[in-house]
Each structure stands twice: as C-alpha cells, then as structure tokens.
Amino acid sequence: MPELLTPTEVAQLLRITPRTVNRYAVDGRLQRVKIGERLSRYRREDVLALIDPENSDAPVHQTEATPKPGSQLPCNSLTGRRT
C-alpha cells in the first residue's frame, strides 16, 4: 500500500502552502486520493515526482511561463535585446 501524506505534509515537503497543494490537485498537477467527503491524501511517489520528474513516469505539466519549443521571446527590434 502506498504511503499517503496529508496536505500539510505535502506542503512541508514542497515548501509551499497547503492551499497551493489544493490548487495543484485542482489543476491536475498532483493526483489526490479522496478518503472521505472532505478528506484528501496524496501518494508520496506522486509528490516526489513533482520534485524530480526525470525519475518518474508521471506526466509533466507545462506552465504558461515555460516557453514552448520554437517560440521566440519578445525583444527590442532596435537593440536585439530581450524586453
């Protein structure tokens, strides 16, 4: 049986708030295990996959801040420097 963590334990491991843990679950970045109407737990291996996705089979989610391959960053056309 996988080790299950509370939202507070996950938050401590990831150094984020428990509210952000909930947002990750709602966004699909972290899968939750419902153990009651209002209680959720998280598998340790899923949490560790967020820290080190290279050693995981979990899907990697791109955020909007990550440029997509082939996209160009905005730059000043006169200087060629990024804005």
Side-chain angles (χ1 to χ4, degrees):
M1 183 162 175
E3 182 180 357
L4 299 177
L5 304 173
T6 66
T8 301
E9 291 169 331
V10 173
Q12 289 171 346
L13 267 174
L14 298 178
R15 295 184 180 174
I16 58 177
T17 66
R19 185 173 178 167
T20 302
V21 172
N22 184 53
R23 277 193 222 119
Y24 281 11
V26 170
D27 292 347
R29 294 187 209 182
L30 186 61
Q31 188 172 356
R32 71 172 107 198
V33 176
K34 297 287 261 180
I35 59 170
E37 190 174 318
R38 297 180 60 182
L39 293 176
S40 295
R41 296 294 182 262
Y42 301 89
R43 289 181 193 92
R44 177 178 277 281
E45 59 266 15
D46 293 342
V47 174
L48 296 177
L50 284 175
I51 297 170
D52 188 9
E54 295 292 322
N55 293 326
S56 168
D57 294 332
V60 177
H61 299 278
Q62 269 194 336
T63 63
E64 289 184 30
T66 306
K68 295 180 181 168
S71 67
Q72 294 184 355
L73 297 174
C75 68
N76 183 322
S77 61
L78 296 175
T79 65
R81 294 185 184 156
R82 293 184 183 148
T83 56

